Amino acid sequence: MSKYITTPIYYVNGEAHIGHAYTTFIADTMTRYEKLKGNDTYFLTGTDEYGQKIEESAQKAGKPTQEFADEMSATFKTLWDNFDICYDKFIKTTDEDHKIGAQKAFEVMYAKGDIYKDFYEGHYCVSCETFFPETQLVDGEFCPDCGRTTSVVKEESYFFKLSKYEDKLLKLYENQPDFILPRSRANEVINFVKGGLHDLSVTRTSFTWGVKIPASLNDDKHVMYVWLDALLNYITALGYGKDDANMKYWPASTQFVGKDILRFHAIYWPAFLMSLDLPLPKHIAAHGWWTRNGEKMSKSKGNVIAPKDVADVYGAENLRYFMLREVPFGQDGDFSQRAFIDRINSELSNDLGNLLNRIIGMSSKYSDFEIDSVDVEKYHSKELDAMNETLASLDGFMQKMQTHRYLEELWKLFVIGNKAIEEHAPWVKMKEDKKDEALGTVALVANILAKASIMLSPIMPKTTATIADALNFKINNDSYKKLICDKKLLKLFNIKKVPPLFPRVEEPLMQEAPKAMPDDKPNDKMKEELLQKDDSGLIEIGQFFETSLKVGTIVEAEEVPKSKKLLKIQVDLGEESPRQVVAGIKEFYSAESLPGTQVCVVANLKPAKLMGMMSEGMLLAAKDEEGLCLVRPEKPKKAGTPIG
Ligand code: ME8
């Protein structure tokens, strides 16, 4: 089966930071996962180089625009190369082939009557490359997305008949409920479309740094609106309009984007494709936003994290692991060195690294490094069953991009391995002259490590290749089929010593960002100020809306053993699976009384561990001297209904 996976093409007006890296890591992971399973997979990334914003950045840098774009684009490419991102193509929108493809697409849409010429007058934000109606401006002047000043622009323009596709788009969201992932994000898109779509201005005459519209239109003062040419990159990269050889990969299986550009990908993009009579992508998967220590990253604050700086001190693959493990796909995430260090020490070093060292140590003592799986089934059928069950559950998580759950489950294998060692104590068995049993346990753990490495390889390809080398096998589709699909065990081999894979980290290795300096650029500050408390202690409405409150329906509730206060509750928030919330309400509510009732949930809290259990939200409750009561909607509402 063939697959096609894409990242957004990144603007070249600034260097990549960990937000860009996150998107690229997930797409790379998914590609490696599909390849591991034997699927012919094509992976595209690249840079978005046209538009007024890039032209202005080049002017500021005092460079010709193309030279500036080439240099900046190269910084992205080098970065991804340093991270071993396995892209098949790195597209630059200034590539000749891209221009040809984009012009061809424009011609097709025009010939179909979906593009027509008219005049446009509106408020334009250069930074977002977007027009806004006056009603959406902040204080009648500022861009609602980035806070920068907009300017009034009146120009002749070609328009794309977006309004024509309103019903078709609504049908798409209905018939293909996984078109937008996570599903919880679909509502904002559907509501936007239901609010009515205006035709989209798709050319500009106020600047020249763009793809010219086709010569056949004989109107060479128009260049394409950057979002039109940018979105088309996903097909021009496959040769659309030129050499169609790679169009066999279309439609894309998963197109990863950040939530900031979901609207472009879930509305404009399918409408363009419908106009071109091309099939639609299977999934547009939108992830959340990364902050640093809870703050938005911005150049003016000096707190932008360059992926290379992190990789240099903490390790490139540790960073991939952390980012994919830390955040449920779709939710916002925070980069804090403390959280990163905790995961390196407890999960990578303790759980995984130590397990490998333990069996290398034991096999060197008991069997001169020889490992044989012959006695594993005899002594460890229980562990093998548990291991196979866990392995079988993994695919479902990856298909839904839930890398955090995938890794959480995968880590259960190391618990099985460690527990088997404790319970069977091979060192005791050796003393009791039960060498077969001792070696059976060592071999069980070797097999656990081998299978876990295969499944971890899309996230940590190099590290797992080292583990596989120690276990004398290679990670590829063959070993995946044998060890994972056919549940086979490793053949007799000699284990090799490896250098420590995950040295413990004792203290933060990077300097924390300085606090914002008073000479911050006013434009960048503007939005921050909108979001900050003023002296009155009052907050802006935007601050309130940063908290995502939703109606939830309790599906299950159970007592937490040994806790006087806590209940473990599964709440349906209209997402793929219920969320687990651990709430301190046991003194006021019995577990049996809760299922089927509704609650109000803070849905975008960072997940936290309470008594070792993950809690992914908070229930709203009111408490006074008479006790506590949960806040509930007055009438039943659909699970996931936003409150606000
Ligand atoms: O929007 N957290 O390019 P862009 C998480 N050229 N992800 C982040 C992030 C953060 N703090 N910051 C950036 C564009 N990203 C257009 C795309 S596609 C046809 C055209 C990631 O350079 C995230 O994937 O502004 C986001 O969608 C993307 O970078 C925006 O990159």
Side-chain angles (χ1 to χ4, degrees):
M1 208 198 311
S2 87
K3 301 267 173 180
Y4 180 32
I5 292 170
T6 65
T7 72
I9 43 171
Y10 304 112
Y11 283 131
V12 287
N13 62 330
E15 285 186 16
H17 61 63
I18 54 160
H20 303 103
Y22 177 64
T23 325
T24 309
F25 292 163
I26 314 185
D28 184 69
T29 294
M30 191 59 74
T31 303
R32 288 175 186 272
Y33 184 75
E34 292 298 347
K35 285 185 174 164
L36 185 66
K37 284 172 53 178
N39 291 323
D40 174 17
T41 308
Y42 196 89
F43 174 21
L44 173 73
T45 189
T47 44
D48 190 355
E49 304 180 10
Y50 282 123
Q52 202 173 351
K53 178 157 73 174
I54 309 300
E55 195 173 36
E56 286 180 1
S57 299
Q59 276 161 9
K60 269 190 209 147
K63 296 198 170 156
T65 316
Q66 186 66 63
E67 187 183 319
F68 174 78
D70 289 344
E71 277 175 23
M72 293 300 292
S73 172
T75 66
F76 278 87
K77 191 160 187 285
T78 307
L79 182 71
W80 303 148
D81 289 342
N82 288 338
F83 272 96
D84 276 319
I85 300 301
C86 66
Y87 57 81
D88 292 282
K89 184 173 170 91
F90 183 100
I91 191 171
K92 287 165 79 343
T93 52
T94 54
D95 287 345
E96 201 49 37
D97 287 355
H98 170 71
K99 282 188 229 172
I100 294 170
Q103 285 169 339
K104 171 76 191 169
F106 196 104
E107 253 171 356
V108 173
M109 293 180 191
Y110 186 79
K112 198 170 174 182
D114 278 352
I115 288 183
Y116 62 94
K117 195 159 146 184
D118 205 338
F119 276 93
Y120 193 90
E121 180 164 7
H123 301 265
Y124 190 63
C125 172
V126 173
S127 177
C128 299
E129 306 276 13
T130 307
F131 277 105
F132 293 97
E134 191 152 0
T135 47
Q136 281 184 18
L137 299 182
V138 177
D139 292 340
E141 183 182 352
F142 302 110
C143 168
D145 280 354
C146 74
R148 292 176 170 84
T149 313
T150 55
S151 45
V152 177
V153 175
K154 178 170 181 182
E155 54 183 53
E156 190 185 79
S157 173
Y158 286 82
F159 286 81
F160 174 75
K161 280 191 188 163
L162 191 60
S163 54
K164 168 177 159 187
Y165 290 95
E166 214 172 284
D167 289 343
K168 285 193 181 142
L169 287 168
L170 290 172
K171 280 212 184 80
L172 159 70
Y173 310 135
E174 198 180 312
N175 298 339
Q176 215 177 300
D178 280 339
F179 178 67
I180 297 168
L181 286 177
R183 283 186 181 193
S184 53
R185 286 228 167 269
N187 270 349
E188 71 196 52
V189 173
I190 294 171
N191 289 340
F192 189 88
V193 176
K194 281 188 177 159
L197 294 177
H198 298 287
D199 289 350
L200 186 70
S201 155
V202 287
T203 63
R204 300 284 182 266
T205 51
S206 52
F207 60 93
T208 53
W209 185 243
V211 179
K212 281 206 177 328
I213 65 169
S216 55
L217 272 80
N218 219 356
D219 205 355
D220 67 0
K221 60 181 183 297
H222 287 264
V223 293
M224 284 184 210
Y225 169 45
V226 62
W227 269 103
L228 172 61
D229 100 77
L231 286 163
L232 290 169
N233 95 88
Y234 300 127
I235 51 174
T236 63
L238 298 179
Y240 177 84
K242 198 165 180 267
D243 160 20
D244 282 4
N246 278 332
M247 278 301 280
K248 66 176 185 202
Y249 288 104
W250 190 258
S253 29
T254 307
Q255 303 209 258
F256 287 98
V257 293
K259 64 179 183 181
D260 55 326
I261 54 174
L262 174 61
R263 207 187 285 168
F264 295 95
H265 284 79
I267 301 175
Y268 298 174
W269 180 222
F272 294 158
L273 288 165
M274 287 172 188
S275 176
L276 294 171
D277 290 318
L278 285 174
L280 307 181
K282 298 277 176 291
H283 308 296
I284 301 291
H287 64 70
W289 212 239
W290 278 86
T291 50
R292 180 177 194 179
N293 297 326
E295 289 191 56
K296 182 178 160 15
M297 280 181 278
S298 79
K299 271 190 198 162
S300 64
K301 278 190 182 173
N303 67 348
V304 173
I305 308 175
K308 184 171 180 306
D309 292 351
V310 190
D312 284 349
V313 289
Y314 287 105
E317 294 201 348
N318 287 358
L319 175 62
R320 283 170 71 110
Y321 173 80
F322 170 70
M323 296 192 90
L324 299 189
R325 175 64 186 83
E326 182 75 359
V327 180
F329 186 82
Q331 292 187 24
D332 292 346
D334 188 50
F335 182 92
S336 95
Q337 292 196 74
R338 201 59 270 163
F340 190 8
I341 292 171
D342 283 351
R343 290 207 185 274
I344 293 179
N345 289 346
S346 77
E347 290 161 15
L348 294 174
S349 183
N350 278 1
D351 297 341
L352 170 53
N354 280 353
L355 195 59
L356 179 63
N357 288 340
R358 280 180 98 176
I359 60 150
I360 294 176
M362 284 190 254
S363 58
S364 86
K365 266 198 211 152
Y366 310 154
S367 57
D368 198 17
F369 294 102
E370 195 175 273
I371 294 200
D372 194 344
S373 301
V374 278
D375 286 324
V376 175
E377 285 208 51
K378 184 165 154 201
Y379 296 109
H380 290 291
S381 62
K382 187 182 79 179
E383 285 86 352
L384 287 179
D385 288 348
M387 174 180 79
N388 287 330
E389 200 182 312
T390 299
L391 287 168
S393 72
L394 294 176
D395 191 60
F397 294 117
M398 196 57 105
Q399 294 311 334
K400 290 184 183 153
M401 334 296 159
Q402 295 181 336
T403 54
H404 78 297
R405 288 286 292 116
Y406 178 95
L407 288 167
E408 192 177 31
E409 284 302 297
L410 184 55
W411 247 244
K412 285 187 181 161
L413 298 180
F414 306 133
V415 176
I416 297 172
N418 272 313
K419 210 161 141 217
I421 294 179
E422 295 319 315
E423 279 176 12
H424 290 257
W427 50 95
V428 175
K429 296 288 174 326
M430 287 300 286
K431 279 193 197 135
E432 291 171 350
D433 223 10
K434 293 179 181 158
K435 190 171 176 184
D436 283 359
E437 196 177 336
L439 295 185
T441 305
V442 174
L444 166 77
V445 176
N447 279 286
I448 287 179
L449 283 165
K451 291 173 195 246
S453 301
I454 294 175
M455 299 312 279
L456 183 58
S457 66
I459 291 133
M460 307 187 84
K462 279 191 176 160
T463 313
T464 49
T466 310
I467 300 176
D469 186 45
L471 299 174
N472 196 40
F473 80 106
K474 293 228 169 339
I475 297 177
N476 52 33
N477 179 242
D478 277 349
S479 55
Y480 170 81
K481 281 201 256 180
K482 275 186 203 133
L483 294 176
I484 305 295
C485 304
D486 300 342
K487 303 179 185 156
K488 297 245 164 64
L489 298 178
L490 293 168
K491 298 231 167 76
L492 177 72
F493 70 99
N494 277 341
I495 195 166
K496 271 193 243 159
K497 281 191 176 172
V498 284
L501 291 176
F502 309 105
R504 286 182 67 81
V505 181
E506 300 306 338
E507 56 189 33
L509 302 174
M510 285 164 41
Q511 259 201 330
E512 276 310 336
K515 289 279 166 222
M517 303 299 282
D519 62 350
D520 275 350
K521 279 187 230 134
N523 275 348
D524 277 332
K525 263 183 92 180
M526 211 175 311
K527 199 177 174 204
E528 316 298 341
E529 278 169 6
L530 280 176
L531 293 173
Q532 268 160 24
K533 258 192 188 171
D534 63 21
D535 290 336
S536 66
L538 300 174
I539 59 167
E540 293 286 341
I541 186 80
Q543 269 177 286
F544 173 75
F545 282 114
E546 293 218 308
T547 310
S548 161
L549 295 173
K550 289 188 179 168
V551 174
T553 306
I554 296 185
V555 190
E556 273 177 42
E558 58 180 284
E559 298 195 357
V560 173
K562 295 195 203 139
S563 167
K564 273 197 215 142
K565 295 196 171 158
L566 298 180
L567 289 182
K568 189 164 90 175
I569 299 170
Q570 309 299 327
V571 195
D572 177 5
L573 287 181
E575 298 166 342
E576 285 92 339
S577 48
R579 293 248 199 125
Q580 176 164 297
V581 174
V582 180
I585 58 169
K586 190 166 161 186
E587 292 159 283
F588 309 98
Y589 290 92
S590 68
E592 308 80 70
S593 69
L594 291 172
T597 62
Q598 291 209 301
V599 280
C600 300
V601 183
V602 180
N604 61 345
L605 266 190
K606 261 188 264 161
K609 262 193 185 163
L610 294 172
M611 290 190 72
M613 288 163 305
M614 279 316 271
S615 183
E616 298 186 328
M618 188 179 95
L619 309 188
L620 293 191
K623 192 175 178 192
D624 61 11
E625 53 292 343
E626 285 172 32
L628 171 146
C629 73
L630 288 166
V631 176
R632 304 179 187 280
E634 190 193 359
K635 289 188 199 141
K637 285 276 155 202
K638 229 166 93 192
T641 305
I643 303 171

